[in-house]
Amino acid sequence: MYTQLEQRGMAQPPVNVSTLRKMKADGVPIACLTAYDASFAVLVDAAGVDLLLVGDSLGMVVQGHDTTVPVTVDDIVYHSRAVARGLRRAFLVADMPFMSYANPEQALMNAVRMMQEGGAMMIKLEGGEGQIEIVEHLARHDIPVCAHLGLKPQSVHKIGGFRVQGREAEKAREMLDAAKRLQDAGSDIVLLECVPNEVGEAITEALEVPVIGIGAGPAVDGQILVLYDILDITQGRTPRFVRNFQADHTSPLAALTAYVDAVRDGSYPAPEHCFS
Ligand code: KIV
């Protein structure tokens, strides 16, 4: 009965939370990317990406909005279902969109949809002190959770723009405390967006669960980027932490494989992709 889940006819078994924890323990960098449809999911998986996120960034890169705020649960479920069909090895995480986890019961109901209808194996929510009770509630129901700290794009209108977080010592300490509390509440992964290297390093050292960074420096346990950014599909200004992997490659698969290799050998992120 368990064979199907554990093997699916693969040379390498599918990634699960234990795989990710072991990668942290063994110091093997975890390569993660976003994807939003089955065709790209096949390529991302074939390139050897360990974790694939159906991010609410789809609101910006697929739907053409200026922020992630308009994305709905139905949108995420739709894209997650498509991505799930393309995956064989990678671990599938789906984003909880804006206001889909305003209280524990609502969070549980929507997380169940993402797993049952969307095929997600974990949900991600933008968390802080205010989300501790929600993470506890989800964890009590065995819903795997990734807590997103640092720059939280769903709060863009409250923050007043997309900018680096945790530059001041007090804010950095608050973020470290929140990360520990979210882990204790049951988060299985912590994701850090746009924080100085030193904050990424301190949080990674303090936590037992894997810490995945996007613009969080080289010391975290894994890296994640938005697929369209690294394939040079995104037009206009991209964030400092983005590297265009398509530039030196003739096919998307070669570019994605180069990204996985660069994360594994530590050549990405380079100093020019980091904040200090
Ligand atoms: O929505 C998204 O794609 C994300 C990544 C930027 C981590 O949250």
Side-chain angles (χ1 to χ4, degrees):
M1 171 190 165
Y2 297 120
T3 317
Q4 203 182 356
L5 177 66
E6 286 170 359
Q7 298 302 338
R8 292 189 209 147
M10 295 286 296
Q12 279 189 295
V15 175
N16 58 37
V17 280
S18 309
T19 321
L20 299 171
R21 275 186 180 244
K22 185 163 181 338
M23 289 176 83
K24 174 173 178 123
D26 294 347
V28 179
I30 303 167
C32 317
L33 271 178
T34 66
Y36 316 99
D37 67 38
S39 297
F40 272 122
V42 168
L43 292 181
V44 168
D45 194 280
V49 165
D50 305 300
L51 180 153
L52 201 152
L53 170 70
V54 179
D56 61 357
S57 51
L58 71 85
M60 298 169 80
V61 300
V62 176
Q63 298 174 333
H65 296 295
D66 287 335
T67 74
T68 59
V69 171
V71 176
T72 65
V73 172
D74 284 346
D75 292 335
I76 297 283
V77 167
Y78 173 86
H79 287 278
S80 183
R81 201 160 45 213
V83 165
R85 291 187 199 113
L87 294 189
R88 290 166 68 86
R89 176 183 168 272
F91 187 71
L92 178 57
V93 182
D95 237 345
M96 301 281 279
F98 180 66
M99 280 300 132
S100 66
Y101 49 99
N103 61 61
E105 278 315 312
Q106 185 203 27
L108 181 61
M109 188 186 74
N110 286 323
V112 167
R113 280 200 66 199
M114 301 210 181
M115 295 182 77
Q116 286 193 322
E117 297 174 42
M121 299 157 184
M122 177 179 282
I123 60 88
K124 174 166 87 60
L125 52 80
E126 295 185 8
E129 288 294 321
Q131 281 66 43
I132 302 285
E133 194 192 342
I134 290 166
V135 172
E136 276 169 352
H137 191 63
L138 293 175
R140 247 197 317 276
H141 289 83
D142 289 337
I143 307 274
V145 177
C146 169
H148 182 149
L149 286 173
L151 172 60
K152 295 183 275 183
Q154 290 171 14
S155 308
V156 61
H157 297 308
K158 183 85 176 164
I159 307 166
F162 297 103
R163 54 177 60 121
V164 181
Q165 302 293 306
R167 280 205 196 272
E168 309 80 11
E170 193 190 330
K171 295 278 178 210
R173 251 192 313 274
E174 278 172 19
M175 207 185 295
L176 175 60
D177 285 347
K180 287 187 195 157
R181 292 201 59 205
L182 286 161
Q183 171 182 264
D184 295 345
S187 296
D188 303 276
I189 294 181
V190 168
L191 188 147
L192 293 179
E193 178 163 355
C194 262
V195 298
N197 290 1
E198 295 78 0
V199 176
E201 184 170 359
I203 293 180
T204 305
E205 276 178 11
L207 298 194
E208 283 162 29
V209 299
V211 176
I212 308 296
I214 174 164
V220 291
D221 301 307
Q223 302 290 335
I224 186 162
L225 284 172
V226 169
L227 177 71
Y228 289 22
D229 290 349
I230 74 164
L231 292 182
D232 200 22
I233 295 169
T234 306
Q235 297 300 297
R237 202 171 73 87
T238 51
R240 177 187 171 97
F241 51 76
V242 171
R243 176 170 150 195
N244 173 0
F245 282 87
Q246 190 61 71
D248 301 323
H249 297 91
T250 50
S251 75
L253 181 57
L256 296 172
T257 306
Y259 166 70
V260 174
D261 291 346
V263 171
R264 294 260 201 265
D265 69 20
S267 55
Y268 176 82
E272 65 266 27
H273 306 119
C274 299
F275 307 101
S276 60

